[in-house]
Amino acid sequence: MIDIGVFYNGTIDLPLKEGKDGIVIPDGSLTDVHESCKRGIVAAVRQGVLADKLGFDYFWQTEHHFQIEGAEFSPNPVLSGMAIAAQTKRIRVGQATNVITMHHPVRLAEQIAMLDLVSGGRCEMGVGRGYQPREVEVLGRNFGATIQDQERNRAYFEEAYEVLIKCFTEASFQHRGENLSVPPSYTKWGHAQTMAYLEDGKAGRSLDDVLKVGRPDMYSSGNPVVATTTRMEEISVFPQALQSPHPQVWMPMTSDRTIQMGAQKGINGQFFAENNSRLKRNIEVYHAEAERCGWPDYRNRGEFKFGWDSEKRRGIAPGRWVHIEMGGLGDRKRWERGIQHGWDFYGPFGFAAVFAEAGEAPWPMSTRITPEIVQQKELGVCGPPDKVIEVLMRCKEACGYEDFNVMIDFEVGGFESQEVEDQMQAFAEEVMPTLRRECGGAPNLQDSKVEVVPQLRPQGWLDSAKAALVE
């Protein structure tokens, strides 16, 4: 089986140009960038709905903020995911990821549960530590989160994740940790209705579990709820998710430490910059750790297939850039400039290191990743459908996947939403059927046929492009 997702990162649709030292930047003012980001928010919803109609299995969005460079902008994947869920019936709506070091986990749990309920149980929950100080220092500061101290960042992430899972799995709970206290130990709650409910005997938690009842506070003024020494010991988070015990969790992974932690907690992995040899090696690390720990899984379903298990939706999914060239469709020069624009942003964060093959020393962080390198490493492919199929199938075979899950990134900087949508339709018509056939079909789909919607070019518009390709 093969699961195919669309990966939406929120790249800018403004024209691109070379700036200082040949670095690719948007060609426009900050006002232009703001307007482009507005269009991008609408484009995310359009493309999510379109992905459902075209037969894709997942639609993924990232979380990124404050993007004057235009490489990735998606400030609230849960909120835009809600808009997609309300207009679709089949596709799974995921976040890749929610940067939980920038969120209070209780608030985030409520939002994810709402998305899961509205979607009818189609939410996939992404979590991540973040990598951009401009984001984490601004939005995570009040939670004690930072990305400028990796150990502190990891400590907050692990604690926030623990609270997030408690919200989904426990009817009533408390948490006392280094960064979070839920509820705060000083929370007064002398409410007669709360006490009456807990004393009725049906709640499943006793009055003494939830409240530490005390006398009225002679030094306090105000209503009876706060003019008391009675304190809240536990809270209940509503709503909880439709999926039990919670949606499947996903996380971007790079280091062995993170890969093994994900395997230990039953978290699925996403890899965005690993070539086939490195990806295969990372899958082996993940699979070995999962086996060592007794196959951790959020539903306790036991052993899962190597690489990916479509039935259990467990394992590892890589991301790949795809740009189809076919007759009048596609523009290699612009696509390669868009790839350069993206990697001129990602590169300085050190992601070049993982371009090394398995067993090689990491590439220097100062290495400038070019479109040629991206294509040589088969992290991106630009060409006719046959070439796209060949590159994607080689990833599956080289890594030893039993089932396969791949996230396709159709967007790069400098392309308008309609151009991205044309790429999605071309992929669905010319690439997806072969991938489905070669990999054993589409999981959890009764009908994976392409449905053409009014926003798309009419069925058959690719005929002239295919004819030109044959010629």
Side-chain angles (χ1 to χ4, degrees):
M1 296 289 183
I2 181 171
D3 295 69
I4 306 173
V6 174
F7 181 78
Y8 183 89
N9 204 24
T11 53
I12 202 162
D13 64 0
L14 294 178
L16 304 175
K17 66 180 182 180
E18 289 189 1
K20 183 180 179 181
D21 299 326
I23 296 173
V24 179
I25 59 174
D27 188 5
S29 67
L30 272 177
T31 299
D32 296 329
V33 173
H34 278 289
E35 292 303 312
S36 177
C37 287
K38 293 175 186 178
R39 293 191 294 271
I41 295 299
V42 176
V45 178
R46 279 176 55 94
Q47 291 173 27
V49 174
L50 174 60
D52 178 73
K53 294 181 182 296
L54 290 175
F56 290 92
D57 305 311
Y58 292 81
F59 189 79
W60 298 102
Q61 296 177 81
T62 57
E63 181 189 359
H64 288 294
H65 309 262
F66 318 134
Q67 277 281 325
I68 65 173
E69 306 84 3
E72 45 186 8
F73 174 75
S74 181
N76 196 324
V78 176
L79 186 60
S80 51
M82 185 76 79
I84 294 167
Q87 301 178 69
T88 58
K89 297 179 180 180
R90 183 192 54 80
I91 197 166
R92 302 198 66 80
V93 182
Q95 312 96 47
T97 67
N98 299 292
V99 183
I100 65 173
T101 53
M102 303 189 299
H103 293 272
H104 194 292
V106 173
R107 190 75 179 103
L108 182 62
E110 293 175 334
Q111 295 172 350
I112 290 172
M114 289 175 67
L115 173 57
D116 197 48
L117 288 162
V118 169
S119 68
R122 290 183 285 128
C123 175
E124 301 286 304
M125 177 171 61
V127 298
R129 293 172 52 209
Y131 72 92
Q132 298 182 27
R134 179 175 60 189
E135 298 178 335
V136 178
E137 307 308 312
V138 171
L139 297 175
R141 176 177 177 271
N142 291 339
F143 307 131
T146 176
I147 195 60
Q148 297 174 180
D149 180 336
Q150 285 291 321
E151 292 307 313
R152 182 173 176 180
N153 173 271
R154 187 180 293 276
Y156 180 80
F157 170 85
E158 292 179 353
E159 185 176 345
Y161 181 76
E162 179 183 346
V163 173
L164 189 68
I165 298 302
K166 284 182 177 180
C167 293
F168 289 119
T169 58
E170 299 185 22
S172 180
F173 74 92
Q174 74 164 223
H175 174 86
R176 298 285 178 257
E178 184 176 356
N179 297 287
L180 296 165
S181 182
V182 182
S185 60
Y186 54 83
T187 304
K188 293 184 176 182
W189 193 261
H191 202 298
Q193 189 178 52
T194 306
M195 296 180 191
Y197 174 68
L198 292 169
E199 289 178 321
D200 183 64
K202 291 186 177 180
R205 298 294 286 169
S206 70
L207 176 64
D208 291 340
D209 291 329
V210 179
L211 296 176
K212 185 176 182 179
V213 179
R215 297 180 177 182
D217 186 351
M218 61 182 293
Y219 298 106
S220 293
S221 59
N223 60 61
V225 176
V226 296
T228 181
T229 59
T230 297
R231 286 178 168 77
M232 200 84 187
E233 294 286 293
E234 295 182 349
I235 62 164
S236 297
V237 176
F238 300 100
Q240 291 183 326
L242 180 62
Q243 296 180 77
S244 180
H246 53 74
Q248 174 65 57
V249 185
W250 294 74
M251 181 169 63
M253 299 177 181
T254 302
S255 68
D256 282 7
R257 183 177 177 183
T258 300
I259 294 168
Q260 290 170 334
M261 185 270 281
Q264 292 160 9
K265 294 182 179 293
I267 300 174
N268 286 352
Q270 298 162 325
F271 291 90
F272 298 102
E274 280 78 4
N275 56 67
N276 291 345
S277 73
R278 191 177 184 91
L279 176 61
K280 180 177 185 294
R281 183 254 178 205
N282 289 344
I283 295 172
E284 290 169 347
V285 171
Y286 182 91
H287 206 74
E289 185 66 13
E291 182 177 22
R292 187 186 72 81
C293 295
W295 306 105
D297 177 67
Y298 76 128
R299 289 184 178 170
N300 298 316
R301 295 167 296 182
E303 183 177 357
F304 47 88
K305 296 178 182 178
F306 185 82
W308 177 251
D309 189 316
S310 289
E311 181 181 357
K312 295 179 179 178
R313 296 203 303 275
R314 284 287 284 115
I316 299 292
R320 295 292 185 261
W321 283 276
V322 168
H323 190 73
I324 295 175
E325 283 188 308
M326 192 165 52
L329 177 70
D331 188 329
R332 174 181 290 271
K333 183 176 181 180
R334 287 172 59 212
W335 180 77
E336 289 185 343
R337 174 163 283 196
I339 290 289
Q340 189 65 70
H341 167 250
W343 277 99
D344 280 350
F345 181 79
Y346 312 135
F349 293 100
F351 290 121
V354 300
F355 271 70
E357 299 291 330
E360 290 183 351
W363 285 15
M365 290 187 181
S366 59
T367 304
R368 189 187 190 198
I369 300 301
T370 64
E372 292 75 24
I373 293 173
V374 168
Q375 292 174 85
Q376 177 191 359
K377 296 290 185 178
E378 296 193 339
L379 299 176
V381 53
C382 178
D386 287 350
K387 183 177 180 181
V388 173
I389 293 166
E390 177 186 345
V391 168
L392 294 178
M393 287 301 298
R394 186 153 49 239
C395 176
K396 176 185 185 297
E397 293 161 3
C399 295
Y401 275 98
E402 294 186 62
D403 293 332
F404 192 32
N405 187 331
V406 63
M407 301 176 291
I408 307 298
D409 192 343
F410 294 103
E411 44 143 14
V412 294
F415 283 83
E416 296 180 357
S417 182
Q418 183 61 61
E419 295 178 286
V420 176
E421 293 165 26
D422 288 346
Q423 286 286 324
M424 292 170 62
Q425 184 176 0
F427 185 97
E429 293 182 359
E430 301 300 321
V431 176
M432 190 184 296
T434 301
L435 293 178
R436 298 289 198 203
R437 183 174 63 252
E438 293 295 320
C439 296
N444 305 316
L445 292 176
Q446 297 299 317
D447 183 3
S448 60
K449 294 179 181 178
V450 174
E451 177 186 348
V452 179
V453 293
Q455 293 91 335
L456 297 178
R457 299 181 182 180
Q459 187 77 30
W461 71 273
L462 289 174
D463 289 347
S464 59
K466 288 187 285 185
L469 182 64
V470 172
E471 293 173 1

